[in-house]
Amino acid sequence: EDQVTQSPEALRLQEGESSSLNCSYTVSGLRGLFWYRQDPGKGPEFLFTLYSAGEEKEKERLKATLTKKESFLHITAPKPEDSATYLCAVRMDSNYQLIWGAGTKLIIKP
Amino acid sequence: EAGVAQSPRYKIIEKRQSVAFWCNPISGHATLYWYQQILGQGPKLLIQFQNNGVVDDSQLPKDRFSAERLKGVDSTLKIQPAKLEDSAVYLCASSPGTRGLDTQYFGPGTRLTVL
């Protein structure tokens, strides 16, 4: 069964404490993996698209990486404004749909 | 550039009542999506339109949910009659192309509570 699993479910960090969020997937024929950020009461906001193993993308304090089985979202020296739920989603060769993970709720304490 | 607009933002109804949500996508975007997001879960696709046509409605509960996209622009999603398990946030998204790897841009969502 095609599946996307994110871990941990929730992560509390102190401001400046770097860490990583994980998105593992079991799908056949990955076409692309997407990372989104969702703030409370808002829709998801696009961060990155990764297409092939070994690819990396960066934006401010965030860096996304992709292997054949999983993706990591590394956050370096986070600030309280980085607090949000981070969602990943994958698109397969065989389907128009995105398969979404349940998200990781990230809380950065000042 | 204006984003995806949705209304209403909040709706409270009793079970067996009807409700409708409206979405105005980003101008020029060919593809429009309706998602259901239950608290603590990722979005679940209900229906995807490409211009006027339906691309995927495999997860739409067609006995109670319906959707249309007017002239390939605005869209409405209707639930009739609502059940308690329909309580969720309904997200509308749009993307510029039709090839499936485009970035999806989301509206703020409509939070539905069914009592």
Side-chain angles (χ1 to χ4, degrees), chain A residues 31-32 34 36 38 41-46 49 51 87 91 95-98 100-103, chain B residues 9 35 37 40-43 45 48 55-56 58-59 91 98 100-104 106-108:
Chain A
R31 288 289 306 278
F34 301 78
Y36 282 80
Q38 187 171 25
K42 295 187 177 181
E45 177 186 350
F46 172 75
T49 307
Y51 296 100
L87 295 162
R91 186 181 304 280
N95 199 321
Y96 280 110
Q97 284 192 31
L98 289 180
W100 292 80
Chain B
R9 291 295 316 278
Y35 287 93
Q37 187 175 26
Q41 298 182 17
L45 181 70
Q48 178 180 340
V55 173
D56 189 341
S58 58
Q59 298 190 94
L91 295 164
T98 59
L101 283 177
D102 292 331
T103 298
Q104 294 184 21
F106 285 82

Side-chain angles (χ1 to χ4, degrees), chain A residues 12 19 23-25 33 45 48-50 65 72 85 91 103:
Chain A
R12 292 176 182 266
S19 188
C23 171
S24 64
Y25 58 92
L33 185 143
E45 177 186 350
F48 305 108
T49 307
L50 302 167
T65 61
F72 291 94
T85 295
R91 186 181 304 280

Side-chain angles (χ1 to χ4, degrees), chain A:
Chain A
E1 181 187 354
D2 299 316
Q3 199 166 2
V4 176
T5 304
Q6 292 189 246
S7 62
E9 289 186 10
L11 182 62
R12 292 176 182 266
L13 300 172
Q14 288 293 135
E15 183 173 1
E17 181 184 0
S18 302
S19 188
S20 297
L21 313 181
N22 178 264
C23 171
S24 64
Y25 58 92
T26 52
V27 301
S28 52
L30 178 75
R31 288 289 306 278
L33 185 143
F34 301 78
W35 282 99
Y36 282 80
R37 167 191 172 130
Q38 187 171 25
D39 292 296
K42 295 187 177 181
E45 177 186 350
F46 172 75
L47 293 173
F48 305 108
T49 307
L50 302 167
Y51 296 100
S52 57
E55 189 174 1
E56 299 181 351
K57 288 193 176 171
E58 288 188 65
K59 178 180 179 180
E60 296 180 356
R61 295 177 292 283
L62 298 176
K63 178 180 177 180
T65 61
L66 181 64
T67 72
K68 289 186 178 179
K69 294 183 178 180
E70 60 193 347
S71 176
F72 291 94
L73 186 65
H74 307 277
I75 183 159
T76 302
K79 299 181 178 182
E81 54 262 41
D82 295 321
S83 297
T85 295
Y86 290 84
L87 295 162
C88 77
V90 301
R91 186 181 304 280
M92 304 177 293
D93 276 336
S94 59
N95 199 321
Y96 280 110
Q97 284 192 31
L98 289 180
I99 302 174
W100 292 80
T104 293
K105 184 174 183 178
L106 179 65
I107 299 170
I108 308 299
K109 296 177 289 183

Side-chain angles (χ1 to χ4, degrees), chain B residues 16-72:
Chain B
R16 291 188 290 272
Q17 287 187 323
S18 310
V19 64
F21 312 127
W22 174 81
C23 172
N24 180 235
I26 293 173
S27 177
H29 279 198
T31 306
L32 185 147
Y33 313 79
W34 282 103
Y35 287 93
Q36 180 192 61
Q37 187 175 26
I38 293 171
L39 188 64
Q41 298 182 17
K44 169 189 165 185
L45 181 70
L46 294 175
I47 190 166
Q48 178 180 340
F49 293 95
Q50 190 169 298
N51 297 311
N52 284 341
V54 175
V55 173
D56 189 341
D57 63 357
S58 58
Q59 298 190 94
L60 186 74
K62 297 180 185 67
D63 58 334
R64 299 185 301 107
F65 285 65
S66 64
E68 61 177 359
R69 189 173 184 194
L70 306 172
K71 298 182 180 179

Side-chain angles (χ1 to χ4, degrees), chain B residues 1-6 24-27 94 105-108:
Chain B
E1 180 181 74
V4 176
Q6 290 188 248
N24 180 235
I26 293 173
S27 177
S94 69
Y105 298 87
F106 285 82

